[in-house]
Amino acid sequence: MSYLNKKHILFLGSIFAFSLFFTGISCDEGGISKDEYQIQYLRKEQLSNLYNNEILPLNRGFVSSTEALINSIEAFKQDVTIENLENARLQWVNMLKIWKHLELYNLGGVQDSFIHFEINRWPTNTEIIEDYIEGTETIDEAFIASNGSSSKGISALEYILFSSQNIEEVINAFSVNTNFERRLDYLDALAHNLKTKAQDLQVIWTTDEAEFINALENGISGSQSQLTNALITLIEEVVISKLGNALGDNTGGTIDVEALEAYRSGSSLVIIQAHLTALNRCYEGVFIEKTIAWGYDDYLKLISNEALDAEIVDAFNLCQIKIDAISGTLYDELTNSPEDVIDLQEAFTNLLVFIKVDLANAIGTTVTINDNDGD
């Protein structure tokens, strides 16, 4: 029996037990109807599942990945070799993948804190980073923390670690070139500051647990509505910023490969894949086996909208098919076969319509205006 079939059976059994529980409740007990009780119950189960089985593990994983990154960078700082550089780069990519899952959950207290900007702001300001390295101020974590978000975080780390396609040039920048010691210090301080921010983010989520899970109201202050808007925002970022800018949507079709996020490391497609996986996991609520994986799909089944669920599942599958059709990096694909990238953008646009219009309308979400809206 497939896991999804098991999930369906668990879901039906839970709904049956839940219905029995509510047969003894009056239609308007405490001013809330039985239907509203059921809706709020499902919202809370969805939010609890998401928080305990996805958001918290991602936060723990992100902190651990920054620690591994620090260890690899300190080893590189002690012994500047190609092997140690490649290990530091690998740890950066591993950390990036976790972050690009966690990046979806920029809502509530986390969004109010603006900490996501401190962790990952693209593009990074390479000129000011070089000015700092050429300067005279002591470079340590306190120095990094005092500077703007465009000169630190994940994107700044990528620039320092992948500053050239020629690995020997990167090694020279850390070993023999002018200010190489300060470049190493900047790299090390960036990693330590990122770990601090990862820990700060974890604290915010831990503090906001009860507020997040118990905000069951149907409105922009409700956690489910905020979550739905977060899904919409991330898909729009993929369509408009992470693909559209490079495709030249605002420049008459002039392709700009350097508009791709993380193009230096060749990780642009890795980011898109991580986003798609995070979006799909959030929609289905499937995080850990042998648990009731409450997700949006269950919510649609409850309101007898299985047809929409099937269409959304197909939309997710189409996005994956278009990603799989790209064999190399997104940078190379834009250069050689931009039509494949256009197909990928169209697949995400299709997914956006289903989430922003159909899903939002079906569950009663108020869609808020964000910076990515083209309206």
Side-chain angles (χ1 to χ4, degrees):
M1 182 183 296
S2 71
Y3 178 68
L4 288 179
N5 285 336
K6 291 178 181 177
K7 175 186 175 182
H8 186 62
I9 292 172
L10 286 169
F11 170 75
L12 292 177
S14 299
I15 290 299
F16 176 71
F18 180 75
S19 298
L20 288 178
F21 173 75
F22 274 106
T23 56
I25 296 179
S26 67
C27 290
D28 194 25
E29 183 165 324
I32 301 178
S33 68
K34 284 192 293 185
D35 287 344
E36 183 60 26
Y37 266 116
Q38 193 173 37
I39 287 171
Q40 290 195 7
Y41 172 82
L42 282 177
R43 280 181 184 156
K44 188 165 186 175
E45 289 301 308
Q46 179 192 10
L47 296 171
S48 296
N49 177 41
L50 177 66
Y51 181 84
N52 292 310
N53 298 323
E54 181 77 337
I55 292 175
L56 283 189
L58 283 173
N59 271 279
R60 288 194 292 266
F62 185 45
V63 172
S64 296
S65 71
T66 61
E67 292 170 346
L69 178 63
I70 287 173
N71 292 337
S72 66
I73 286 174
E74 290 183 343
F76 175 63
K77 191 175 180 181
Q78 292 298 317
D79 188 13
V80 179
T81 64
I82 291 178
E83 180 181 3
N84 285 340
L85 174 60
E86 288 180 338
N87 185 48
R89 287 176 165 184
L90 176 62
Q91 295 301 330
W92 179 87
V93 172
N94 291 339
M95 175 272 301
L96 176 72
K97 291 176 182 177
I98 297 173
W99 169 248
K100 291 304 174 181
H101 283 77
L102 186 55
E103 193 173 36
L104 168 61
Y105 302 108
N106 186 22
L107 55 143
V110 173
Q111 187 176 36
D112 294 340
S113 73
F114 297 100
I115 194 170
H116 275 220
F117 286 105
E118 296 284 303
I119 292 172
N120 183 206
R121 182 174 178 181
W122 171 263
T124 196
N125 191 328
T126 60
E127 291 184 3
I128 196 169
I129 289 174
E130 292 298 335
D131 287 343
Y132 289 149
I133 292 173
E134 294 172 7
T136 58
E137 292 185 71
T138 299
I139 297 177
D140 53 19
E141 186 181 353
F143 174 76
I144 297 296
S146 68
N147 295 327
S149 58
S150 65
S151 60
K152 57 189 174 187
I154 293 172
S155 294
L157 278 160
E158 186 212 19
Y159 168 66
I160 298 291
L161 286 170
F162 298 87
S163 57
S164 172
Q165 294 298 308
N166 186 321
I167 199 165
E168 291 289 351
E169 290 182 3
V170 180
I171 290 294
N172 289 339
F174 285 115
S175 58
V176 296
N177 291 359
T178 304
N179 294 318
F180 75 86
E181 299 97 336
R182 290 179 61 82
R183 187 173 298 275
L184 285 167
D185 289 342
Y186 201 94
L187 177 65
D188 188 53
L190 282 174
H192 279 87
N193 180 252
L194 183 61
K195 177 187 173 182
T196 297
K197 293 302 176 182
Q199 292 172 326
D200 291 345
L201 179 63
Q202 188 175 31
V203 168
I204 294 172
W205 268 117
T206 302
T207 303
D208 286 355
E209 175 183 1
E211 182 176 352
F212 174 74
I213 293 176
N214 294 310
L216 305 177
E217 59 269 26
N218 186 27
I220 59 174
S221 59
S223 291
Q224 190 192 62
S225 287
Q226 292 182 22
L227 182 63
T228 308
N229 275 284
L231 294 172
I232 293 167
T233 297
L234 185 56
I235 301 172
E236 286 180 338
E237 286 179 1
V238 171
V239 172
I240 298 171
S241 303
K242 303 193 180 193
L243 294 175
N245 288 346
L247 284 166
D249 286 353
N250 296 318
T251 58
T254 301
I255 290 176
D256 180 8
V257 290
E258 294 189 2
L260 290 169
E261 184 179 10
Y263 74 88
R264 293 183 177 89
S265 60
S267 301
S268 306
L269 191 60
V270 171
I271 290 173
I272 303 298
Q273 177 65 78
H275 285 331
L276 180 63
T277 302
L279 289 161
N280 200 357
R281 284 166 64 88
C282 180
Y283 175 75
E284 295 185 345
V286 180
F287 310 123
I288 299 175
E289 289 193 13
K290 298 180 181 179
T291 61
I292 299 176
W294 299 97
Y296 284 98
D297 55 346
D298 300 312
Y299 205 86
L300 290 176
K301 291 181 178 73
L302 176 68
I303 60 176
S304 301
N305 208 334
E306 291 89 346
L308 176 57
D309 173 50
E311 290 178 316
I312 293 174
V313 169
D314 287 344
F316 274 116
N317 289 338
L318 179 61
C319 289
Q320 188 61 63
I321 289 170
K322 297 306 180 181
I323 288 177
D324 294 341
I326 299 174
S327 57
T329 67
L330 208 52
Y331 187 105
D332 292 338
E333 200 76 1
L334 267 175
T335 303
N336 302 317
S337 302
E339 61 275 7
D340 290 340
V341 184
I342 293 173
D343 287 345
L344 177 60
Q345 185 191 41
E346 289 176 350
F348 270 94
T349 302
N350 179 56
L351 177 63
L352 176 62
V353 173
F354 279 117
I355 301 298
K356 187 174 184 177
V357 179
D358 300 284
L359 178 64
N361 287 337
I363 66 176
T365 293
T366 300
V367 178
T368 58
I369 298 174
N370 61 69
D371 291 339
N372 292 309
D373 274 320
D375 301 335

